[in-house]
Amino acid sequence: MTKPGDGDDFYRVNGAGEMLVFSAADFEDFLVPRPDLLPVMESELKAVIRHLVEHRWPFRLHATYDETIERALNVYEEVNREIPFDGLHWFFDHCETISDRNIERVKALGGGIAVQNRMAFQGEYFVERYGSQQAKRTPPIRRMLEMGVPVGAGTDATRVSSYNPYLSLYWLITGKTVGGLSLYPEENQLGREEALKLYTMGSSWFSTEDGKKGALAPGQLADLAVLSADYFSIPEEEIKHLESVLTIVGGKVVYATDEFSKLAPSALPVSPSWSPVKEFGGYAKQPTQPAAASHSASCSHVTAPTHGGAQSHLQVMGEFGLWGLGCDCFAF
């Protein structure tokens, strides 16, 4: 039986989540109204949380809306009175509409909040449904930091976004969607160093590796990247086009291009073979000629349902039928 910590520095078990029970899942499609979770949510979630705390398993829970967070915290506090969390690392993913009161409750239980750049893609939908005033603190990252809660940044790859961290950093710094809509006032935007720390040192807390990775320091893991331009000095609009030209993991070169091309290891085969990555060429690069889509790739996007409902999530046609893309909210 596996347990937290099993594995190595490259691939290891961190804990449980993020869909601990289906009845607690408040799927985050801002094109439709907030879902009301079933009354059975508390009893089902409590059984799982109690089991995890008893066995000292770190855990995480997908929670978009404050209404979900409120109910989950009620469960956590009840379990904590019976079996103290006592420093166990746990956190919520997303927390777009979390209230100050519930941020305080997260802190009191020793939890953290992992934020992702969903609003960079769904910001316009959120404003249309809930208004620009509510969007100004969706999510309230500055308030989380002010209240002393551990915060880590990610992308929600590959469901909401790609794994590209620079698009997420652009959103944190500028407060803009990919469509150019300004969501946040200056007080809810982050400085470049501050945003980078959330992605590196901040995120290390969530895998219980704070002090072991996230900084260029003696004794920490030798993982680093040399970028295509200076992150700290280029215009804000260019941040989203940054790429790595040299990536080192565990002290070994795993990717190299441009002036570092001679250091590049042999390319890994693309799997599945129809993946757009095979022809993509990079986030900021345009292919010299359009790539023809294979039959499999062409079939991977399912058209909207005929009854007129919104088709909100990508599904893929596989050998045995349709399957949906899951939510890996902490892909760094």
Side-chain angles (χ1 to χ4, degrees):
M1 182 68 178
T2 191
K3 62 183 183 300
D6 281 357
D8 55 28
D9 289 333
F10 187 78
Y11 192 74
R12 61 193 285 268
V13 177
N14 286 328
E18 66 172 302
M19 295 297 181
L20 295 173
V21 293
F22 187 77
S23 57
D26 64 347
F27 293 105
E28 66 293 335
D29 189 347
F30 298 139
L31 283 171
V32 298
R34 175 183 61 83
D36 288 323
L37 303 184
L38 296 174
V40 74
M41 177 266 212
E42 281 81 358
S43 61
E44 291 186 348
L45 184 61
K46 182 180 178 180
V48 173
I49 297 300
R50 184 183 177 87
H51 182 78
L52 293 172
V53 177
E54 280 181 334
H55 293 84
R56 305 305 295 169
W57 268 64
F59 62 90
R60 60 196 289 181
L61 181 71
H62 169 110
T64 299
Y65 299 98
D66 192 55
E67 291 82 355
T68 304
I69 296 164
E70 175 86 18
R71 292 175 63 179
L73 285 170
N74 292 341
V75 172
Y76 294 178
E77 289 167 348
E78 185 176 346
V79 172
N80 181 62
R81 287 190 290 270
E82 300 170 7
I83 311 171
F85 284 17
D86 193 24
L88 182 69
H89 278 211
W90 69 271
F91 59 96
F92 285 119
D93 280 304
H94 315 312
C95 290
E96 270 80 6
T97 68
I98 189 171
S99 62
D100 284 5
R101 175 176 176 273
N102 281 334
I103 296 174
E104 290 176 355
R105 295 172 71 193
V106 170
K107 182 181 179 181
L109 283 174
I113 300 172
V115 297
Q116 298 82 25
N117 60 323
R118 177 187 299 149
M119 289 292 285
F121 296 91
Q122 293 199 37
E124 284 85 353
Y125 301 148
F126 187 93
V127 169
E128 184 176 350
R129 180 168 295 279
Y130 299 109
S132 58
Q133 189 64 32
Q134 177 62 44
K136 288 181 178 180
R137 52 163 288 138
T138 303
I141 300 173
R142 175 64 64 200
R143 193 71 182 120
M144 297 172 189
L145 294 171
E146 290 173 349
M147 296 175 73
V149 173
V151 178
T155 60
D156 208 0
T158 52
R159 182 191 179 106
V160 164
S161 176
S162 75
Y163 56 81
N164 179 6
Y166 309 110
L167 202 56
S168 185
L169 287 166
Y170 168 80
W171 164 73
L172 289 168
I173 293 163
T174 66
K176 293 180 181 179
T177 68
V178 294
L181 177 65
S182 293
L183 295 171
Y184 312 131
E186 187 174 345
E187 57 266 26
N188 202 31
Q189 298 171 24
L190 302 183
R192 299 189 193 206
E193 182 175 354
E194 196 173 22
L196 186 60
K197 281 184 176 179
L198 292 192
Y199 236 99
T200 52
M201 296 172 67
S203 292
S204 66
W205 182 91
F206 292 78
S207 56
T208 321
E209 294 175 292
D210 34 332
K212 187 175 183 179
K213 69 178 184 181
L216 299 177
Q220 296 210 23
L221 299 180
D223 304 340
L224 60 92
V226 178
L227 304 185
S228 53
D230 183 2
Y231 165 79
F232 289 102
S233 64
I234 60 174
E236 288 182 346
E237 289 299 318
E238 294 181 18
I239 292 173
K240 57 189 172 184
H241 298 304
L242 284 170
E243 291 190 80
S244 173
V245 293
L246 177 68
T247 305
I248 298 174
V249 177
K252 297 181 179 180
V253 175
V254 296
Y255 175 79
T257 189
D258 295 346
E259 64 264 44
F260 299 104
S261 295
K262 292 181 180 179
L263 302 175
S266 300
L268 296 172
V270 174
S271 179
S273 61
W274 50 260
S275 171
V277 172
K278 189 172 183 179
E279 307 292 344
F280 188 30
Y283 284 102
K285 299 174 184 176
Q286 296 296 324
T288 54
Q289 59 184 16
S294 68
H295 173 73
S296 300
S298 301
C299 290
S300 64
H301 291 269
V302 181
T303 57
T306 55
H307 55 69
Q311 179 71 38
S312 58
H313 299 303
L314 176 66
Q315 294 178 304
V316 174
M317 177 67 77
E319 183 178 353
F320 301 105
L322 291 175
W323 55 275
L325 297 181
C327 183
D328 300 318
C329 298
F330 231 49
F332 295 91

